[in-house]
mmCIF file of all heavy atoms in Angstrom:
data_model
loop_
_atom_site.group_PDB
_atom_site.id
_atom_site.type_symbol
_atom_site.label_atom_id
_atom_site.label_comp_id
_atom_site.label_asym_id
_atom_site.label_seq_id
_atom_site.Cartn_x
_atom_site.Cartn_y
_atom_site.Cartn_z
ATOM 1 N N SER A 3 34.992 17.126 16.618
ATOM 2 C CA SER A 3 34.652 16.112 17.610
ATOM 3 C C SER A 3 33.494 15.280 17.068
ATOM 4 O O SER A 3 32.854 15.663 16.084
ATOM 5 C CB SER A 3 34.270 16.753 18.946
ATOM 6 O OG SER A 3 33.145 17.589 18.795
ATOM 7 N N GLY A 4 33.247 14.145 17.728
ATOM 8 C CA GLY A 4 32.102 13.330 17.362
ATOM 9 C C GLY A 4 32.420 12.069 16.588
ATOM 10 O O GLY A 4 31.518 11.279 16.304
ATOM 11 N N GLY A 5 33.673 11.884 16.241
ATOM 12 C CA GLY A 5 34.026 10.677 15.510
ATOM 13 C C GLY A 5 33.956 9.449 16.406
ATOM 14 O O GLY A 5 33.780 9.554 17.619
ATOM 15 N N GLY A 6 34.086 8.281 15.789
ATOM 16 C CA GLY A 6 34.052 7.052 16.564
ATOM 17 C C GLY A 6 33.852 5.835 15.687
ATOM 18 O O GLY A 6 33.988 5.904 14.467
ATOM 19 N N LEU A 7 33.521 4.734 16.344
ATOM 20 C CA LEU A 7 33.286 3.468 15.671
ATOM 21 C C LEU A 7 31.786 3.194 15.655
ATOM 22 O O LEU A 7 31.116 3.286 16.690
ATOM 23 C CB LEU A 7 34.018 2.341 16.409
ATOM 24 C CG LEU A 7 33.743 0.912 15.934
ATOM 25 C CD1 LEU A 7 34.236 0.714 14.511
ATOM 26 C CD2 LEU A 7 34.404 -0.078 16.889
ATOM 27 N N VAL A 8 31.270 2.858 14.480
ATOM 28 C CA VAL A 8 29.843 2.597 14.339
ATOM 29 C C VAL A 8 29.649 1.468 13.336
ATOM 30 O O VAL A 8 30.468 1.280 12.434
ATOM 31 C CB VAL A 8 29.104 3.881 13.886
ATOM 32 C CG1 VAL A 8 29.559 4.312 12.504
ATOM 33 C CG2 VAL A 8 27.596 3.711 13.946
ATOM 34 N N GLN A 9 28.574 0.727 13.496
ATOM 35 C CA GLN A 9 28.270 -0.333 12.540
ATOM 36 C C GLN A 9 27.643 0.241 11.285
ATOM 37 O O GLN A 9 27.031 1.330 11.314
ATOM 38 C CB GLN A 9 27.322 -1.346 13.172
ATOM 39 C CG GLN A 9 27.962 -2.198 14.254
ATOM 40 C CD GLN A 9 27.040 -3.296 14.744
ATOM 41 O OE1 GLN A 9 25.823 -3.179 14.653
ATOM 42 N NE2 GLN A 9 27.624 -4.371 15.254
ATOM 43 N N ALA A 10 27.775 -0.479 10.207
ATOM 44 C CA ALA A 10 27.159 -0.063 8.958
ATOM 45 C C ALA A 10 25.656 0.148 9.166
ATOM 46 O O ALA A 10 24.998 -0.642 9.849
ATOM 47 C CB ALA A 10 27.394 -1.106 7.878
ATOM 48 N N GLY A 11 25.153 1.226 8.592
ATOM 49 C CA GLY A 11 23.767 1.601 8.765
ATOM 50 C C GLY A 11 23.522 2.545 9.920
ATOM 51 O O GLY A 11 22.419 3.094 10.054
ATOM 52 N N GLY A 12 24.533 2.738 10.743
ATOM 53 C CA GLY A 12 24.401 3.616 11.896
ATOM 54 C C GLY A 12 24.618 5.077 11.550
ATOM 55 O O GLY A 12 24.767 5.449 10.380
ATOM 56 N N SER A 13 24.626 5.904 12.595
ATOM 57 C CA SER A 13 24.741 7.352 12.427
ATOM 58 C C SER A 13 25.788 7.928 13.370
ATOM 59 O O SER A 13 26.045 7.379 14.444
ATOM 60 C CB SER A 13 23.402 8.030 12.702
ATOM 61 O OG SER A 13 22.399 7.595 11.818
ATOM 62 N N LEU A 14 26.361 9.032 12.950
ATOM 63 C CA LEU A 14 27.251 9.830 13.779
ATOM 64 C C LEU A 14 27.019 11.292 13.433
ATOM 65 O O LEU A 14 26.639 11.614 12.296
ATOM 66 C CB LEU A 14 28.720 9.490 13.517
ATOM 67 C CG LEU A 14 29.304 8.212 14.119
ATOM 68 C CD1 LEU A 14 30.718 8.010 13.597
ATOM 69 C CD2 LEU A 14 29.293 8.260 15.631
ATOM 70 N N ARG A 15 27.271 12.160 14.400
ATOM 71 C CA ARG A 15 27.236 13.593 14.131
ATOM 72 C C ARG A 15 28.572 14.194 14.508
ATOM 73 O O ARG A 15 28.981 14.129 15.675
ATOM 74 C CB ARG A 15 26.120 14.294 14.881
ATOM 75 C CG ARG A 15 25.957 15.740 14.423
ATOM 76 C CD ARG A 15 24.812 16.466 15.080
ATOM 77 N NE ARG A 15 25.186 16.992 16.392
ATOM 78 C CZ ARG A 15 24.618 18.062 16.950
ATOM 79 N NH1 ARG A 15 23.658 18.699 16.306
ATOM 80 N NH2 ARG A 15 24.987 18.460 18.144
ATOM 81 N N LEU A 16 29.233 14.770 13.532
ATOM 82 C CA LEU A 16 30.489 15.464 13.766
ATOM 83 C C LEU A 16 30.222 16.940 14.030
ATOM 84 O O LEU A 16 29.296 17.523 13.456
ATOM 85 C CB LEU A 16 31.411 15.325 12.565
ATOM 86 C CG LEU A 16 31.710 13.903 12.081
ATOM 87 C CD1 LEU A 16 32.697 13.956 10.922
ATOM 88 C CD2 LEU A 16 32.212 13.035 13.196
ATOM 89 N N SER A 17 31.048 17.514 14.881
ATOM 90 C CA SER A 17 30.981 18.949 15.166
ATOM 91 C C SER A 17 32.331 19.575 14.883
ATOM 92 O O SER A 17 33.366 18.931 15.043
ATOM 93 C CB SER A 17 30.606 19.194 16.625
ATOM 94 O OG SER A 17 29.354 18.641 16.938
ATOM 95 N N CYS A 18 32.296 20.827 14.500
ATOM 96 C CA CYS A 18 33.515 21.589 14.271
ATOM 97 C C CYS A 18 33.308 22.965 14.882
ATOM 98 O O CYS A 18 32.520 23.774 14.371
ATOM 99 C CB CYS A 18 33.825 21.700 12.791
ATOM 100 S SG CYS A 18 35.240 22.768 12.416
ATOM 101 N N ALA A 19 34.025 23.235 15.954
ATOM 102 C CA ALA A 19 33.921 24.518 16.643
ATOM 103 C C ALA A 19 35.061 25.420 16.187
ATOM 104 O O ALA A 19 36.228 25.029 16.255
ATOM 105 C CB ALA A 19 33.965 24.311 18.137
ATOM 106 N N ALA A 20 34.695 26.603 15.739
ATOM 107 C CA ALA A 20 35.685 27.560 15.256
ATOM 108 C C ALA A 20 35.897 28.647 16.287
ATOM 109 O O ALA A 20 34.948 29.134 16.903
ATOM 110 C CB ALA A 20 35.217 28.176 13.950
ATOM 111 N N SER A 21 37.139 29.022 16.484
ATOM 112 C CA SER A 21 37.453 30.087 17.434
ATOM 113 C C SER A 21 38.708 30.799 16.972
ATOM 114 O O SER A 21 39.383 30.387 16.046
ATOM 115 C CB SER A 21 37.655 29.516 18.838
ATOM 116 O OG SER A 21 38.770 28.646 18.858
ATOM 117 N N GLY A 22 38.993 31.893 17.639
ATOM 118 C CA GLY A 22 40.161 32.668 17.275
ATOM 119 C C GLY A 22 39.825 34.126 17.272
ATOM 120 O O GLY A 22 38.664 34.518 17.386
ATOM 121 N N ARG A 23 40.821 34.931 17.122
ATOM 122 C CA ARG A 23 40.627 36.371 17.196
ATOM 123 C C ARG A 23 39.745 36.835 16.035
ATOM 124 O O ARG A 23 40.086 36.670 14.872
ATOM 125 C CB ARG A 23 41.978 37.074 17.166
ATOM 126 C CG ARG A 23 41.903 38.545 17.470
ATOM 127 C CD ARG A 23 43.282 39.143 17.613
ATOM 128 N NE ARG A 23 44.017 39.070 16.361
ATOM 129 C CZ ARG A 23 45.264 39.514 16.217
ATOM 130 N NH1 ARG A 23 45.899 40.013 17.251
ATOM 131 N NH2 ARG A 23 45.870 39.423 15.064
ATOM 132 N N THR A 24 38.616 37.364 16.357
ATOM 133 C CA THR A 24 37.674 37.903 15.369
ATOM 134 C C THR A 24 37.454 36.897 14.236
ATOM 135 O O THR A 24 37.693 37.181 13.053
ATOM 136 C CB THR A 24 38.191 39.231 14.790
ATOM 137 O OG1 THR A 24 38.695 40.027 15.852
ATOM 138 C CG2 THR A 24 37.061 39.982 14.125
ATOM 139 N N PHE A 25 37.013 35.711 14.628
ATOM 140 C CA PHE A 25 36.798 34.693 13.613
ATOM 141 C C PHE A 25 35.747 35.145 12.614
ATOM 142 O O PHE A 25 34.664 35.575 12.969
ATOM 143 C CB PHE A 25 36.338 33.386 14.255
ATOM 144 C CG PHE A 25 35.931 32.357 13.237
ATOM 145 C CD1 PHE A 25 36.894 31.689 12.496
ATOM 146 C CD2 PHE A 25 34.604 32.087 12.974
ATOM 147 C CE1 PHE A 25 36.531 30.761 11.537
ATOM 148 C CE2 PHE A 25 34.230 31.157 12.022
ATOM 149 C CZ PHE A 25 35.193 30.499 11.301
ATOM 150 N N SER A 26 36.102 35.054 11.365
ATOM 151 C CA SER A 26 35.174 35.392 10.296
ATOM 152 C C SER A 26 35.558 34.598 9.069
ATOM 153 O O SER A 26 36.714 34.580 8.659
ATOM 154 C CB SER A 26 35.242 36.898 9.984
ATOM 155 O OG SER A 26 34.406 37.212 8.901
#
């Protein structure tokens, strides 16, 4: 999540949430 449209010079923060049975 966290994607989008931004102007040059701007910032974004992407996140990646991991889940599942006994995630390792």
